[in-house]
Coordinates of all heavy atoms in Angstrom, one line a residue:
M1 N 0.8 -1.2 0.0 CA 0.0 0.0 0.0 C 0.9 1.3 0.0 O 1.8 1.4 0.8 CB -0.9 0.0 1.3 CG -1.8 1.2 1.3 SD -2.9 1.1 2.8 CE -3.7 2.7 2.7
A2 N 0.6 2.1 -0.9 CA 1.5 3.3 -1.1 C 1.2 4.3 0.1 O 0.1 4.5 0.5 CB 1.2 4.0 -2.4
I3 N 2.3 4.9 0.6 CA 2.2 5.9 1.7 C 2.1 7.3 1.1 O 3.0 7.7 0.3 CB 3.3 5.8 2.7 CG1 3.3 4.4 3.3 CG2 3.2 6.9 3.8 CD1 4.5 4.1 4.2
T4 N 1.1 8.0 1.4 CA 0.9 9.4 0.9 C 1.9 10.3 1.6 O 1.9 10.4 2.8 CB -0.5 9.9 1.0 OG1 -1.4 9.0 0.4 CG2 -0.6 11.3 0.5
Q5 N 2.8 11.0 0.9 CA 3.8 11.9 1.5 C 3.1 13.2 1.7 O 2.4 13.7 0.8 CB 5.0 12.0 0.5 CG 5.8 10.8 0.3 CD 6.5 10.3 1.6 OE1 6.9 11.2 2.5 NE2 6.6 9.0 1.8
P6 N 3.4 13.9 2.8 CA 2.9 15.2 3.0 C 3.5 16.2 1.9 O 4.6 16.0 1.5 CB 3.3 15.6 4.4 CG 4.5 14.7 4.6 CD 4.2 13.5 3.9

Side-chain angles (χ1 to χ4, degrees):
M1 182 179 176
I3 299 174
T4 304
Q5 296 293 328

